[in-house]
């Protein structure tokens, strides 16, 4: 079974990407993607992007997923395999 989890880019020493277990595990891609957009929307609007130039939140989140590693202080999501 496929699931989706979230990661968070931290700016500390050691690991640069931390699992965001507190955000849960989703079995539905659309639900997971919508949650990712909700997590990143305030960060995108306040700190990182001029939405008039770079598109909307969903497009930016799609780019973040493609790049795997999110920008500093933002979330990404990864596909995982869930076993019984």
């Amino acid at each position: 079974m496929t699931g989706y989890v979230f990661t968070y880019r931290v700016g500390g020493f050691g690991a640069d990407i931390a699992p965001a277990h507190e955000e849960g595990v989703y079995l539905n891609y659309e639900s997971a993607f919508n949650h990712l957009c909700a997590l990143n929307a305030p960060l995108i609007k306040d700190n990182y992007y001029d939405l008039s130039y770079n598109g909307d939140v969903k497009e930016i989140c799609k780019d973040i997923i493609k790049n795997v590693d999110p920008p500093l202080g933002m979330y990404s999501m990864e596909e995982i395999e869930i076993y019984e």
Side-chain angles (χ1 to χ4, degrees), residues 31-57:
S31 296
F33 183 74
N34 289 336
H35 187 65
L36 176 69
C37 291
L39 290 171
N40 282 332
L43 304 169
I44 290 168
K45 291 177 182 174
D46 293 343
N47 300 315
Y48 291 94
Y49 297 95
D50 174 4
L51 293 177
S52 63
Y53 178 76
N54 288 320
D56 66 6
V57 171

Side-chain angles (χ1 to χ4, degrees), residues 3 8 14 26 30 37 45 51 53 62 68:
Y8 183 76
Y26 285 73
E30 288 301 316
C37 291
K45 291 177 182 174
L51 293 177
Y53 178 76
K62 286 177 186 176
V68 181

Side-chain angles (χ1 to χ4, degrees), residues 1 4 36 54 56 59 61 65 74 79:
M1 176 184 308
Y4 303 91
L36 176 69
N54 288 320
D56 66 6
E59 290 302 315
C61 286
I65 292 169
M74 295 183 71
E79 185 176 290

Side-chain angles (χ1 to χ4, degrees), residues 62-82:
K62 286 177 186 176
D63 288 341
I64 290 171
I65 292 169
K66 283 183 200 172
N67 292 331
V68 181
D69 292 340
L72 183 63
M74 295 183 71
Y75 294 87
S76 186
M77 77 181 199
E78 298 178 13
E79 185 176 290
I80 60 168
E81 193 64 31
I82 300 172

